[in-house]
Amino acid sequence: MKKIRTLTIQCPTILILLVIGLIPLYARDIEITVEDTDLALPLEGARIRSWDGQEYTCDEDGKVRIPVPDDRQVVIQATYPGYENGRLLIPIRGNSFTLLLHLSGILENQELVIEAPRPGVSETRSGRSVAISDRELSRTAEIGIIEDVMTSIKLLPGVGYAGMFNAMPSIRGGTPGDLTAVLDGFYIEQPYHWGGGVSIFDPRMVQSAQLSHGVFSSRYGHTISGLLEVTSKKPSSTETELELGLSSSATNLNLSFPLWGKGGVMVMGKLTYWDPFVWAVKPFVEEVRYITTAPYIRSSAFSANYRFTQDMEWTLNGFIGGDGMGAYYQNESEAEGLVSKNDMRFSWDNKLGFLITGITFNPLPSMVLKATAGGGFHSADLDAAMQNDVHVPYSPKFLEDFKDYLDEGKTSYDLTNTMGDTMTELTINYQGRFDVDWDLTKGFLFAAGVQELYSQWIEEESAHLWQETLDTNKTLADPQKRPWYTHYPVTFSNDVRNRGFFSSLYTLVEYTSPERRFGAELGLRLDHLYFVGKDFTIQTAPALNPRLNLDFGILKNKGPLDSLSLTVGTGLFSSMNTNLIYIGKDSGIDDFDMKQSRSWTSILGTKVDFSNGYSLTIETYIKRVFDRSYLSLVTQENALVSDYQFDGEGRIWGFDLMLQKLEARYWDGWISYSFNHARYRDPSRDDPDRPDWYYPSFHRFHNLNIVLNIKPLQRFHIAIRFGLASGAPKSVVGEVTSYPVRVLNADGTETGLVIEKWKRSSRYSDTERDGFALPLDIKFSFFRFNPGGKVQSEIYAAVENTLAFLKTRQRNTTFNSYTGKEDEGSTTASYQLPIPMVSVGFKWTY
């Protein structure tokens, strides 16, 4: 079966595209049934590739409806694991056809065992997970200047709004960054480019992605919020395939070739070049003007598989990639007597890679054994430095109030601040796991597994900065009774040489009744961490995580309903906060003081499939977080040190719903809505401005996503992604006021300089929020088809961040800390550029 080859060119005008692409095409819907030739059994999950390149999945009766032109004959193709590919000529007349598939090869005295999920079959399970197929990924992730699987994941229910350049969203109220990623069963410790801006998962290297944020199977752990399971594409065992993509921001190349009909090899590469984009937006965006090295990504992946026998298959997957950027900023300004000179440089270089291999073996028709092993690394180099020289006039009021502390006749002061951070980081991990699945007949399945994950963390960091704290000198006076502060340099350094041994065991039993009227899954997982430092060790208590799911098939094929199911689940989960890798011998943590963060999640869900192609899923959940780890930075002897605690709590509840229109002729897509209420507590943190229980900074009550794929013509599609997210917490601030500051040397001695600074009070609020976020992305696609189904071309134009100019996200104003002048307008912590981003291209498929 031929795959997509992509070629992107820049187009002079959309009007030309409309003239070429909008050619009328009349169509009708037909029903295809795919069956086994010898047994006449329907093949649920069989994939149909239509004449226009669209792909469809057969239901449990082996049936699917697809649109075809009514003015000519076309050819469709069908694939199914273990069967030879089939083709069928669709005549001009007729509405129902049957396509018969033959078993691949001759299996004498053997059963056909499918030991993996059928390709394309949705892994979406109420109360457990939501899955996105490769077809859905191509529509929602292959848009814009960066194509990323996380773009699609962020559109699913239960996922909090995070902005465009942020691949670390909050999952059902959990801490951003707690989402654990697994590629073909391999845990990836840092699956990100640009420090978490985008993920490493290009949609062209992914067969499917599944977000598990309910009570998912005990096969996986190391998260208390969500699990992202990514399945890589497999090369064809019969055909050579090529995909090529060129655009103004990236080049992609995929090459696949077979291995004697028993497997194949696929190589994928990606190269981004943002220089044209940076050049185009420099006149409009202040932050972009000083970029010296445009943000870049260079990555390559490969996948191979080989089936030695009908019962044994070998797989190999690998990835190597890097990213980085650089900036140099020089500026001198003068306003109202303030003279400021800034000199800043920044460079970031990041590399990561991994290699995974595995063997799947069927010793019995009812048993599957799988062994997987691999290793990976992640390295990062950061070099940043800044110098700020200011000449600041004193305000008349300050001169009057503090004349006894100022040199006679002095009306201004000069101050130099220098800051810098140099960091080198290396993470190495090795892991292996062994799993067994055994069909015990009569609806029972037993599974068990063991996993060992070894991680080594090496980091050297040296930083210096200036800090202000309350002055302890009680002899200082102020007519306004304002507190004095001290301004002094501090240093921060890290020399990490730590290792972690993560050991996991799991076992589970599944039961499915005849006709799937009732199902149950009972599992138990044990996770243990042994922490080893340069000259110390920390033992931890094992975390026991039992999990239970009950599934009830209430209705099936009743009137307009295809099915109605109900799921009830509850379970325990555990994970380790990544900040714990910096623990040292002087951190004061003894054996069993370190704890894994835990959560207890309970969920109730229902799923309704309608006969007209709609599906509705509703889930409500309650989550209690305990033993959550957190840290605070405290100053000791002019140095910043980390204070680790393991008593954090969280109370989270909410509900999600998703209404999906399955693959159809004129339109499809989904609407998802999530409500989340999450409050956290840090008992050991001394923060008088925050109450005992608080909303975390990433919390949002409401998240709405609308994904539409509109197809008014076979040759013209419109893809739309629209979101609506309520605001994040915002502090309540007071008036801007001045205060006196003594400048000290690094050793705490006097410099004799007293300066005037400006500040304002800020306190936490349960009720204050910033404005709504309204992300909108649109893609227009124009297609040309070959009726034989071998050649397809697409011309597209896309606009991301379309509503960037709408000022909906109001936050507190900023102010100049040297003059007290407030800036006009407002600012917000945002992961989006303040302008729409346009991309155009051309794709060719054969």
Side-chain angles (χ1 to χ4, degrees):
M1 180 175 63
K2 297 294 183 183
K3 294 290 185 180
I4 294 178
R5 293 205 312 175
T6 308
L7 178 65
T8 305
I9 62 173
Q10 301 212 354
C11 305
T13 173
I14 298 300
L15 180 61
I16 297 177
L17 307 184
L18 288 169
V19 173
I20 296 175
L22 295 180
I23 301 175
L25 183 65
Y26 301 96
R28 72 185 193 277
D29 287 342
I30 63 172
E31 183 179 78
I32 302 295
T33 302
V34 181
E35 294 181 349
D36 180 286
T37 300
D38 300 315
L39 304 177
L41 294 176
L43 298 180
E44 176 187 0
R47 293 301 296 268
I48 300 293
R49 184 169 189 182
S50 187
W51 63 281
D52 58 359
Q54 303 250 15
E55 294 189 5
Y56 307 84
T57 303
C58 294
D59 60 19
E60 60 185 9
D61 297 319
K63 298 180 182 295
V64 67
R65 295 190 67 83
I66 65 173
V68 296
D70 57 8
D71 59 349
R72 64 183 184 274
Q73 297 181 350
V74 294
V75 175
I76 65 171
Q77 302 178 35
T79 61
Y80 193 78
Y83 285 76
E84 297 178 355
N85 295 346
R87 292 192 173 199
L88 182 65
L89 178 68
I90 305 299
I92 296 178
R93 293 180 175 82
N95 296 315
S96 180
F97 304 91
T98 300
L99 200 162
L100 302 177
L101 297 184
H102 299 267
L103 282 172
S104 178
I106 301 175
L107 303 176
E108 296 183 1
N109 301 321
Q110 297 186 43
E111 293 184 44
L112 175 65
V113 178
I114 307 300
E115 65 276 309
R118 290 185 277 268
V121 176
S122 175
E123 294 292 313
T124 298
R125 301 184 67 184
S126 177
R128 297 173 178 83
S129 59
V130 182
I132 302 182
S133 67
D134 56 343
R135 189 64 186 173
E136 292 167 326
L137 286 172
S138 67
R139 294 173 179 171
T140 56
E142 294 181 14
I143 296 179
I145 56 178
I146 290 294
E147 299 179 350
D148 183 10
V149 167
M150 281 303 300
T151 303
S152 300
I153 298 300
K154 291 189 288 187
L155 300 172
L156 297 177
V159 182
Y161 173 77
M164 179 176 296
F165 294 107
N166 184 3
M168 303 170 69
S170 168
I171 307 297
R172 284 184 169 170
T175 304
D178 189 62
L179 176 67
T180 297
V182 176
L183 177 66
D184 296 332
F186 184 87
Y187 289 95
I188 303 177
E189 197 158 327
Q190 291 287 338
Y192 304 108
H193 291 300
W194 297 341
V198 298
S199 81
I200 65 172
F201 302 119
D202 188 291
R204 289 182 174 84
M205 64 178 281
V206 173
Q207 179 67 31
S208 65
Q210 176 176 300
L211 175 64
S212 299
H213 49 25
V215 183
F216 54 86
S217 171
S218 58
R219 300 173 191 268
Y220 292 104
H222 303 298
T223 179
I224 61 173
S225 295
L227 176 73
L228 177 61
E229 297 179 68
V230 178
T231 303
S232 61
K233 284 186 177 179
K234 281 191 174 183
S236 171
S237 61
T238 57
E239 298 184 3
T240 300
E241 303 164 345
L242 176 66
E243 301 180 20
L244 175 63
L246 301 173
S247 73
S248 57
S249 60
T251 296
N252 293 275
L253 175 65
N254 289 15
L255 173 64
S256 171
F257 54 89
L259 295 176
W260 308 286
K262 294 186 176 182
V265 176
M266 178 182 291
V267 181
M268 296 158 278
K270 179 178 182 177
L271 170 69
T272 66
Y273 34 87
W274 271 36
D275 302 83
F277 171 76
V278 170
W279 174 83
V281 302
K282 274 187 176 183
F284 308 102
V285 182
E286 178 74 20
E287 295 83 358
V288 177
R289 295 178 186 175
Y290 308 100
I291 291 178
T292 57
T293 302
Y296 66 87
I297 296 175
R298 313 282 189 263
S299 64
S300 178
F302 66 90
S303 174
N305 69 294
Y306 189 82
R307 183 171 289 276
F308 296 100
T309 68
Q310 290 293 333
D311 298 322
M312 181 178 291
E313 182 182 19
W314 168 76
T315 60
L316 180 68
N317 297 89
F319 177 90
I320 185 72
D323 60 88
M325 67 169 295
Y328 182 66
Y329 172 80
Q330 279 187 318
N331 174 265
E332 182 174 348
S333 62
E334 182 175 357
E336 300 180 355
L338 171 66
V339 179
S340 177
K341 297 180 181 179
N342 294 290
D343 192 327
M344 184 271 290
R345 59 179 173 81
F346 170 85
S347 65
W348 164 266
D349 185 58
N350 182 69
K351 300 179 181 65
L352 69 158
F354 52 83
L355 183 68
I356 317 164
T357 186
I359 290 286
T360 302
F361 177 56
N362 296 85
L364 301 171
S366 59
M367 181 179 290
V368 179
L369 305 179
K370 186 172 183 179
T372 306
F377 78 94
H378 168 250
S379 68
D381 292 289
L382 169 69
D383 186 13
M386 186 183 77
Q387 178 170 316
N388 172 233
D389 299 293
V390 294
H391 174 81
V392 187
Y394 292 108
S395 68
K397 180 65 174 173
F398 191 88
L399 287 173
E400 177 65 24
D401 291 341
F402 298 97
K403 58 184 178 181
D404 295 337
Y405 299 96
L406 304 176
D407 294 338
E408 185 176 354
K410 189 172 186 178
T411 60
S412 62
Y413 68 88
D414 296 290
L415 182 68
T416 297
N417 289 318
T418 59
M419 292 176 283
D421 190 358
T422 302
M423 181 195 71
T424 300
E425 181 182 82
L426 175 64
T427 299
I428 302 172
N429 72 82
Y430 302 98
Q431 53 188 287
R433 64 181 297 162
F434 178 77
D435 303 86
V436 56
D437 283 33
W438 188 8
D439 185 355
L440 303 178
T441 70
K442 296 185 178 180
F444 286 93
L445 173 72
F446 170 79
V450 59
Q451 179 186 24
E452 185 68 29
L453 192 158
Y454 165 81
S455 292
Q456 182 177 9
W457 306 288
I458 302 172
E459 179 178 302
E460 295 180 356
E461 182 178 13
S462 176
H464 62 277
L465 64 153
W466 289 83
Q467 184 163 321
E468 286 186 5
T469 59
L470 281 171
D471 201 325
T472 57
N473 189 341
K474 303 299 182 182
T475 65
L476 300 173
D478 176 16
Q480 306 296 327
K481 296 183 179 181
R482 290 165 292 188
W484 281 70
Y485 283 77
T486 55
H487 180 87
Y488 55 92
V490 296
T491 60
F492 175 80
S493 61
N494 257 337
D495 185 11
V496 176
R497 298 288 191 277
N498 292 335
R499 293 171 290 163
F501 295 84
F502 299 87
S503 303
S504 302
L505 299 169
Y506 80 87
T507 182
L508 64 87
V509 176
E510 293 183 21
Y511 171 73
T512 304
S513 69
E515 299 184 0
R516 299 185 179 181
R517 292 294 184 182
F518 173 73
E521 179 182 337
L522 175 63
L524 176 64
R525 182 179 180 89
L526 183 147
D527 291 304
H528 176 258
L529 166 64
Y530 183 60
F531 195 89
V532 180
K534 285 194 299 185
D535 50 4
F536 70 99
T537 62
I538 300 176
Q539 183 62 267
T540 67
L544 290 174
N545 298 314
R547 300 170 195 174
L548 173 66
N549 280 290
L550 302 176
D551 302 298
F552 303 90
I554 300 175
L555 294 176
K556 188 174 182 180
N557 298 325
K558 297 290 185 181
L561 300 181
D562 275 351
S563 64
L564 170 62
S565 61
L566 179 70
T567 297
V568 180
T570 187
L572 290 171
F573 301 84
S574 61
S575 70
M576 191 193 83
N577 190 316
T578 55
N579 288 324
L580 300 184
I581 66 177
Y582 303 109
I583 286 177
K585 184 178 181 179
D586 56 355
S587 298
I589 301 176
D590 297 325
D591 285 343
F592 304 106
D593 286 346
M594 180 190 292
K595 299 178 182 178
Q596 299 183 54
S597 298
R598 306 292 303 279
S599 73
W600 179 19
T601 300
S602 298
I603 193 164
L604 172 65
T606 184
K607 188 172 186 290
V608 185
D609 293 324
F610 298 92
S611 56
N612 58 359
Y614 288 88
S615 178
L616 174 65
T617 303
I618 303 175
E619 297 179 3
T620 181
Y621 57 89
I622 299 175
K623 184 188 302 184
R624 181 188 169 227
V625 179
F626 57 99
D627 292 343
R628 180 177 57 86
S629 59
Y630 58 94
L631 67 87
S632 302
L633 291 178
V634 296
T635 304
Q636 294 181 1
E637 299 179 352
N638 287 354
L640 293 176
V641 297
S642 299
D643 179 30
Y644 296 90
Q645 301 295 335
F646 302 90
D647 56 0
E649 299 179 65
R651 296 173 182 171
I652 305 170
W653 65 274
F655 65 89
D656 308 324
L657 64 85
M658 182 175 184
L659 177 63
Q660 186 174 13
K661 178 69 167 67
L662 304 179
E663 183 73 41
R665 164 62 185 86
Y666 290 102
W667 72 277
D668 50 67
W670 70 78
I671 299 176
S672 68
Y673 169 75
S674 301
F675 174 84
N676 177 261
H677 186 277
R679 307 237 335 153
Y680 281 62
R681 179 173 178 261
D682 304 332
S684 299
R685 177 173 287 166
D686 184 16
D687 189 350
D689 295 326
R690 191 164 61 184
D692 196 28
W693 288 91
Y694 63 92
Y695 293 108
S697 60
F698 53 83
H699 174 258
R700 298 176 186 273
F701 283 110
H702 309 280
N703 285 275
L704 172 71
N705 289 295
I706 300 176
V707 178
L708 290 177
N709 185 40
I710 304 171
K711 300 172 281 188
L713 301 171
Q714 287 282 0
R715 297 178 183 263
F716 176 46
H717 292 185
I718 304 173
I720 300 174
R721 306 182 310 207
F722 173 74
L724 175 64
S726 62
K730 180 173 68 172
S731 299
V732 176
V733 298
E735 295 184 359
V736 179
T737 58
S738 69
Y739 62 99
V741 180
R742 288 193 305 144
V743 179
L744 305 180
N745 293 311
D747 59 0
T749 58
E750 295 276 357
T751 65
L753 178 63
V754 174
I755 65 175
E756 178 184 21
K757 296 286 292 293
W758 295 78
K759 65 181 179 68
R760 64 182 175 192
S761 61
S762 175
R763 62 178 176 83
Y764 169 86
S765 173
D766 266 349
T767 57
E768 291 294 315
R769 297 267 166 166
D770 64 358
F772 279 77
L774 296 169
L776 174 63
D777 308 320
I778 305 175
K779 178 182 178 182
F780 302 93
S781 298
F782 307 86
F783 298 93
R784 292 180 64 86
F785 304 109
N786 183 308
K790 293 185 177 181
V791 177
Q792 173 182 323
S793 60
E794 175 191 358
I795 301 173
Y796 69 88
V799 183
E800 294 180 283
N801 203 24
T802 306
L803 304 179
F805 295 118
L806 291 181
K807 304 299 182 181
T808 61
R809 305 190 62 197
Q810 299 300 310
R811 295 204 70 138
N812 297 317
T813 57
T814 60
F815 63 95
N816 190 304
S817 63
Y818 292 109
T819 65
K821 182 180 178 180
E822 288 191 78
D823 299 326
E824 296 182 359
S826 63
T827 61
T828 178
S830 174
Y831 292 93
Q832 297 193 102
L833 291 175
I835 58 171
M837 287 174 284
V838 179
S839 58
V840 295
F842 174 78
K843 295 182 179 182
W844 180 43
T845 304
Y846 77 92

